[in-house]
Amino acid sequence: MSYTPHTPDEQRRMLDAIGVDSLEALFDAIPGRARFPELGLPAPLSELELDAELRRLASRNTGIDAGPCFLGAGAWRHFVPATVDYVLQRGEFYTAYTPYQPELSQGMLQAMFEYQTMICRLTGMEVSNASHYDGATSLAEAVLLALDATKDARTGIVMSPSVHLHHRGVVETYLRGSDAELRVPDDPTVAAADLADMVDERTAALVLQTPNVLGRLERLDGIAEAVHGKGALLIVAVDPIALGLFRPPGEFGADVVVADGQPLGLAPSFGGPSLGIFATRRAHIRRLAGRLVGETADADGRRGYVLTLATREQHIRRARATSNICTNSALGALAAATYLATVGKAGLRRIAELCFHKSHYAADRIAAIDGVAVNPDAPQAPFFKEFVVELPVPAAEANARLHDGHGIVGGFDLGRFFPGYGNRMLVAVTETNTRAEIDRLVAALREIVS
Amino acid sequence: MTDIPTLYELSVPGRPGTSLPDCDVPPAPLPDDLVRADNGLPELSEPEVVRHYLHLSQRNYGVDGGFYPLGSCTMKYNPKINERLARLPGFAGLHPLQDEASAQGALELMHRLQEALKRIGGFAGMTLQPAAGAQGELTALLMIRAWHANRGEPGRDVILIPDSAHGTNPASATMAGFVAVEVPSDGRGNVDIEAVSAACDDRLAGIMLTNPTTLGLFEERIDEVAALVHAAGGLVYGDGANMNALTGIARPGDLGVDLMHFNLHKTFATPHGGGGPGSGPVGASAALAPYLPGPVVEMDGDGRYRLETPARSIGRMCAFHGNFGMLVRAYASIAGHGDSGLKANAMAAVLNANYLRVKLRDRYPVPFDRTCMHEFVCEGRPDGTRARALDVSKRLMDYGFHPPTNYFPLIVPEALMIEPTETETLATLDAFVAAMLAIADEARDRPDLLHDAPHTTPVRRLDEVRAARELRVAEPGDPE
């Protein structure tokens, strides 16, 4: 395939204009020993051949739309309205760069402004940036914001052990460049109030996730007050679908709310690209990482939008920027905005209700199987969309039999996250799972454990 | 032109929107104390939503619509086949935690891309995990930090960064816990070798080199710089932002570069999406490869692919395996081009940039005027007038072009950084030259036309000071 358009005659005219006699002569500055290497790549494919080759590779994968799927743990199967891809495929949006020239970018800028507004309303916060890479990097940047906001020798971060383990891992990586210390208790069922008790005068932030990685909704009453009383910040990671129905962390006094935006209209796509949601208080707006769109007026007084507070950012502030982030996930934010506008107020609430009711139906039916326990550590605690199933056999074995014998993608094997959890799986149920699918899962599990 | 109303201005309470299935299970009791009254989202019909975003798109300029010579951003054609392929259910519908046996095609694609990028860059190891170029920089710097610490030299805390570098370089160095020390450029636009030499001591952790530089020039002293830095115990990091000039032309790994990130959107034509998602794979020499973030894709002896975390890995950079959808597109670009096509792309990009350089330099001074690579930097004040790069940029919009990057790099006054890319025709380049020369005439004869530009866009110049002062970053309204 080639998208370089010059004819030999045009190329000759251009070389003549430049005053060199060959294309190769343009590269004389490169050390001769390293110039024009053989790369040894496979022979180039035509578009027809490429299409066939990648379809062949794709056919060797089984996507989660191929049958009943109960796998979540940080990425989920949610329905994506057709409007989302319609908007994403507009070349005016997806082939644009970051809107540095606002007069030519009002469409994307207004869409980002509206995204920021919807995220503020959903999370109950005052400021949202225009996106991070994913939920894990949003969380890492939230921790860095807390360390910056509470400078006075506060280097401790207390994190709930039921924050997604990959997200915790990214925070650990980001903290390699600092002297901050991450404290995470071992027991994933520890209560939020007990975590708040670990916050001391050296702590910059407490990090919670609700629903947490085991599906449980954390009770946030009084947590922010306790954390603020020690001079630290409260960071809460959420599932944005849950915010359609449940009270947002902003109502409970959280200082930063982060989320992975994949559920809002993004394909799981083997984990990326996703969308990092990041919302905070106005007090922290100058510490915010990432792009921020603001409303203003043009020379004739007409409403318009620009990237604002660029003085926080790397291209202005360089070594003293709030973050190195440049390219983020603008198209993911556009997908989420289109999704939220399409489903709207009643729709997101309805989707969250469907997730709630269907996951509870599944949990009740599975709990009725002899030898199987649901949420064994906290059977009475409220949960959303995901719950823990304890089996008399290893979860990996049960999943293999669900897949091979029943064509079902089972839950996440929690033994991959927590030692001693090898017999536990995290079952995710969304609006996409029908009652018939849930009943098939229940019947299959009954057969597997009998 | 009139404003486009916002979603909230269009919203009508009770407007029926999307249809959803009935609940087919008995409802469970909700925890009433946790339920909110109002989630704050707008209420629109689906046709209203579609019309809204269509209208917004009509106020956005993409490379599909016209020439976009935004220097250092490489706004080239994004092949449509790549969009189709990335949306195949066997790719887009994959869960990141599903069994590896059910995702062998995806893992094979990632493995092939790792191998191809190693060959293109001259590296022994490759991670596809970083979500963007800047995250690739952070990845590599954390690897440099871990490498020195593992060798018993944790005190190496200085990273040298040329004054022409992207702002992400010093910002990434700070995030990785280093002290960023700026080194000047010399009269030919290369890094000042004396300054590098003077900074080579036992605090040196490494240097970040963008090659070609942000002036669009090949760093002629790369061999000397690499030798000095290595002799002092430091590492050479290559900022691969401009690798699109070098595919099939030179391999950074052959030029002494220990680590480098690729920007897949710049070099391998994945779309920029109006500000992402990007993808910033990092290549590493054999000595540094064990420090790569995990997981990477390995192939077993029996031809099966699996995810594995390298022995001394710095850890994860994002939640899963990187921006897989962008990896599909980049792999498609590489597979469609091969050795000859990638080399031809670089040559055409360099040809186009040099053509514009010689056509414009008599009116727009080029301070480091030698054969450039994929882009060049000129001064946006034609013929010694008092015009400004900003005015020239805004006036270009009236001629139907997206402006070049302006005011970067910082070492050129009134900088205009022009990158035509390899996918533009001679006719387009000539039309751009004609517009630039016409604007140079206007700067002399009708400077008001420049000051007041743009005249033809949906809005005119926007008050950025007011935006930063008022900070209206969301529509007013109570969340509950």
Side-chain angles (χ1 to χ4, degrees):
Chain A
M1 301 191 316
S2 172
Y3 307 106
T4 51
H6 301 320
T7 65
D9 174 60
E10 288 173 328
Q11 182 177 303
R12 170 51 48 200
R13 281 157 54 200
M14 295 172 76
L15 289 170
D16 287 347
I18 296 165
V20 294
D21 56 14
S22 70
L23 285 171
E24 285 74 12
L26 296 168
F27 298 94
D28 286 348
I30 294 168
R33 64 180 167 79
R35 209 183 305 157
F36 307 135
E38 288 298 317
L39 303 179
L41 298 173
L45 303 178
S46 65
E47 181 167 329
L48 186 157
E49 294 164 312
L50 181 68
D51 189 66
E53 174 65 3
L54 264 70
R55 282 177 194 278
R56 193 185 67 75
L57 283 175
S59 73
R60 296 186 54 208
N61 307 313
T62 309
I64 55 177
D65 289 324
C69 171
F70 298 93
L71 182 58
W76 295 272
R77 186 176 69 170
H78 284 289
F79 182 70
V80 180
T83 53
V84 174
D85 214 36
Y86 169 80
V87 172
L88 294 190
Q89 295 213 44
R90 294 288 304 184
E92 298 90 334
F93 284 136
Y94 88 85
T95 74
Y97 202 75
T98 303
Y100 292 134
Q101 296 290 342
E103 298 88 348
L104 293 183
S105 315
Q106 283 300 296
M108 193 58 149
L109 286 162
Q110 182 170 336
M112 291 302 99
F113 181 79
E114 293 169 354
Y115 163 84
Q116 291 172 186
T117 302
M118 288 191 282
I119 294 301
C120 286
R121 305 281 169 92
L122 262 187
T123 58
M125 302 300 281
E126 295 157 349
V127 177
S128 161
N129 75 2
S131 81
H132 272 294
Y133 311 129
D134 67 4
T137 51
S138 279
L139 181 60
E141 292 275 15
V143 166
L144 295 181
L145 181 149
L147 289 165
D148 181 50
T150 61
K151 282 190 178 80
D152 49 331
R154 289 176 183 265
T155 56
I157 301 291
V158 177
M159 183 180 285
S160 163
S162 55
V163 167
H164 195 287
L165 268 78
H166 290 183
H167 297 207
R168 185 210 293 185
V170 173
V171 172
E172 288 169 349
T173 307
Y174 270 59
L175 291 181
R176 281 173 160 264
S178 78
D179 55 0
E181 180 200 1
L182 191 64
R183 294 162 65 204
V184 189
D186 290 330
D187 177 8
T189 64
V190 61
D194 293 334
L195 288 161
D197 286 343
M198 291 174 63
V199 173
D200 59 24
E201 68 288 343
R202 291 188 53 255
T203 306
L206 170 66
V207 181
L208 301 176
Q209 178 180 320
T210 181
N212 69 24
V213 77
L214 303 178
R216 199 173 73 198
L217 288 160
E218 300 280 7
R219 293 202 180 271
L220 299 176
D221 309 80
I223 302 290
E225 290 77 3
V227 170
H228 293 159
K230 298 281 176 60
L233 302 189
L234 176 62
I235 298 167
V236 182
V238 296
D239 174 346
I241 298 288
L243 297 180
L245 177 60
F246 295 111
R247 292 168 66 195
E251 265 190 47
F252 295 95
D255 300 283
V256 187
V257 179
V258 297
D260 193 286
Q262 179 268 327
L264 304 181
L266 281 76
S269 191
F270 214 33
S274 189
L275 160 68
I277 292 171
F278 190 107
T280 185
R281 299 285 172 197
R282 231 175 150 80
H284 299 303
I285 194 167
R286 285 183 165 73
R287 296 190 183 91
L288 191 71
R291 308 292 186 196
L292 187 64
V293 176
E295 185 187 311
T296 186
D298 77 356
D300 295 335
R302 273 177 305 207
R303 182 169 70 182
Y305 304 90
V306 294
L307 294 175
T308 195
L309 285 189
T311 49
R312 300 164 294 122
E313 294 192 66
Q314 45 77 26
H315 59 287
I316 307 291
R317 186 67 59 90
R318 299 179 75 84
R320 294 186 299 119
T322 56
S323 169
N324 70 339
I325 192 166
C326 183
T327 291
N328 42 90
S329 189
L331 207 67
L334 182 65
T338 308
Y339 175 90
L340 292 171
T342 302
V343 303
K345 176 181 292 194
L348 193 67
R349 186 181 183 96
R350 186 71 183 147
I351 291 162
E353 286 172 349
L354 289 170
C355 292
F356 184 87
H357 295 315
K358 286 169 183 268
S359 58
H360 281 73
Y361 171 78
D364 289 346
R365 294 299 163 106
I366 290 170
I369 302 172
D370 277 346
V372 176
V374 166
N375 289 337
D377 301 305
Q380 302 305 318
F383 66 91
F384 177 76
K385 203 165 94 175
E386 294 185 289
F387 55 91
V388 178
V389 174
E390 185 168 54
L391 301 161
V393 298
E397 181 189 322
N399 273 335
R401 292 175 62 185
L402 282 172
H403 181 267
D404 299 343
H406 304 274
I408 295 172
V409 176
F412 178 69
D413 174 3
L414 283 167
R416 290 168 67 179
F417 277 179
F418 301 107
Y421 274 45
N423 281 13
R424 295 184 179 193
M425 69 164 67
L426 183 73
V427 172
V429 185
T430 72
E431 80 282 3
T432 65
N433 295 107
T434 62
R435 179 175 184 154
E437 285 184 356
I438 296 168
D439 290 342
R440 271 177 67 185
L441 172 71
V442 174
L445 284 174
R446 183 173 285 121
E447 182 189 308
I448 287 167
V449 304
S450 64
Chain B
M1 275 182 239
T2 54
D3 289 348
I4 296 177
T6 67
L7 290 170
Y8 282 94
E9 288 166 347
L10 293 167
S11 175
V12 173
R15 173 88 74 211
T18 191
S19 65
L20 288 161
D22 291 335
C23 191
D24 59 358
V25 301
L30 290 167
D32 289 332
D33 59 324
L34 295 179
V35 172
R36 72 194 298 181
D38 181 354
N39 60 35
L41 291 180
E43 297 168 87
L44 293 87
S45 70
E46 181 171 317
E48 288 178 296
V49 173
V50 166
R51 199 167 283 169
H52 177 70
Y53 283 105
L54 186 100
H55 288 163
L56 290 182
S57 75
Q58 290 167 335
R59 294 191 174 190
N60 223 56
Y61 189 104
V63 71
D64 276 358
F67 187 47
Y68 210 130
L70 192 65
S72 198
C73 300
T74 315
M75 297 301 285
K76 60 173 143 187
Y77 176 65
N78 305 132
K80 303 308 157 200
I81 181 68
N82 297 359
E83 295 303 306
R84 187 160 89 190
L85 294 172
R87 286 172 167 81
L88 291 173
F91 292 138
L94 292 187
H95 192 287
L97 295 171
Q98 72 182 60
D99 189 27
E100 288 172 9
S102 67
Q104 284 293 301
L107 294 171
E108 180 174 350
L109 182 143
M110 291 172 69
H111 190 264
R112 288 189 195 179
L113 180 59
Q114 287 175 189
E115 294 305 307
L117 293 176
K118 285 184 204 171
R119 288 174 178 271
I120 293 164
F123 295 108
M126 186 67 58
T127 174
L128 304 176
Q129 201 171 78
Q135 216 200 15
E137 296 175 21
L138 178 61
T139 301
L141 289 163
L142 291 172
M143 291 169 67
I144 290 173
R145 189 182 173 89
W147 189 77
H148 286 305
N150 188 55
R151 285 159 52 93
E153 295 190 306
R156 289 188 177 268
D157 65 346
V158 168
I159 293 286
L160 303 181
I161 299 173
D163 57 4
S164 59
H166 291 107
T168 51
N169 285 188
S172 297
T174 301
M175 279 181 88
F178 289 112
V179 179
V181 173
E182 190 170 284
V183 288
S185 302
D186 70 15
R188 284 183 61 78
N190 296 311
V191 64
D192 185 310
I193 201 79
E194 306 303 326
V196 171
S197 181
C200 280
D201 57 22
D202 59 5
R203 279 185 64 188
L204 180 70
I207 188 168
M208 300 180 85
L209 271 189
T210 307
N211 193 13
T213 69
T214 61
L215 293 164
L217 301 173
F218 188 81
E219 175 58 63
E220 294 168 310
R221 311 196 74 166
I222 176 107
D223 282 344
E224 293 161 84
V225 171
L228 276 171
V229 169
H230 287 148
L235 294 170
V236 178
Y237 172 71
D239 179 326
N242 295 338
M243 187 63 202
N244 55 305
L246 294 183
T247 55
I249 305 294
R251 309 193 311 167
D254 295 342
L255 296 170
V257 172
D258 301 295
L259 292 154
M260 186 189 83
H261 83 261
F262 289 85
N263 293 86
L264 296 187
H265 55 283
K266 298 183 187 183
T267 302
F268 301 110
T270 72
H272 200 272
S279 179
V282 171
S285 66
L288 274 301
Y291 296 85
L292 286 167
V296 298
V297 182
E298 300 284 357
M299 184 172 68
D300 287 336
D302 60 359
R304 294 192 66 73
Y305 298 90
R306 61 188 160 75
L307 292 163
E308 186 165 301
T309 299
R312 298 182 192 276
S313 175
I314 57 163
R316 285 186 171 278
M317 292 305 293
C318 62
F320 296 111
H321 320 314
N323 284 346
F324 177 76
M326 311 323 282
L327 306 181
V328 174
R329 292 170 173 88
Y331 175 73
S333 273
I334 291 171
H337 280 86
D339 279 30
S340 58
L342 292 178
K343 183 177 177 183
N345 280 356
M347 286 183 154
V350 171
L351 176 69
N352 288 357
N354 277 289
Y355 181 76
L356 289 184
R357 179 179 61 86
V358 299
K359 290 288 185 181
L360 293 176
R361 66 181 170 187
D362 291 342
R363 309 290 298 276
Y364 294 87
V366 175
F368 301 94
D369 193 16
R370 55 180 164 104
T371 303
C372 66
M373 295 283 108
H374 61 298
E375 66 192 4
F376 68 101
V377 179
C378 64
E379 295 178 9
R381 43 184 183 192
D383 306 329
T385 60
R386 295 174 61 192
R388 303 204 59 206
L390 185 70
D391 298 334
V392 172
S393 296
K394 300 300 184 193
R395 184 64 181 147
L396 267 169
M397 297 177 188
D398 292 331
Y399 285 87
F401 296 112
H402 194 284
T405 296
N406 48 41
Y407 300 101
F408 184 80
L410 309 176
I411 57 175
V412 174
E414 299 298 325
L416 285 178
M417 183 191 225
I418 301 174
E419 179 177 16
T421 82
E422 70 272 20
T423 55
E424 298 296 338
T425 63
L426 179 56
T428 298
L429 302 181
D430 282 337
F432 177 72
V433 169
M436 287 290 283
L437 299 183
I439 291 170
D441 291 343
E442 291 172 352
R444 182 189 61 219
D445 305 332
R446 295 283 313 277
D448 53 306
L449 275 178
L450 274 68
H451 293 156
D452 298 339
H455 304 270
T456 58
T457 47
V459 291
R460 296 182 56 210
R461 280 195 213 189
L462 289 149
D463 189 342
E464 301 195 9
V465 174
R466 173 174 163 178
R469 187 179 65 239
E470 296 183 353
L471 286 176
R472 287 169 59 91
V473 295
E475 286 180 71
D478 190 28
E480 285 281 308

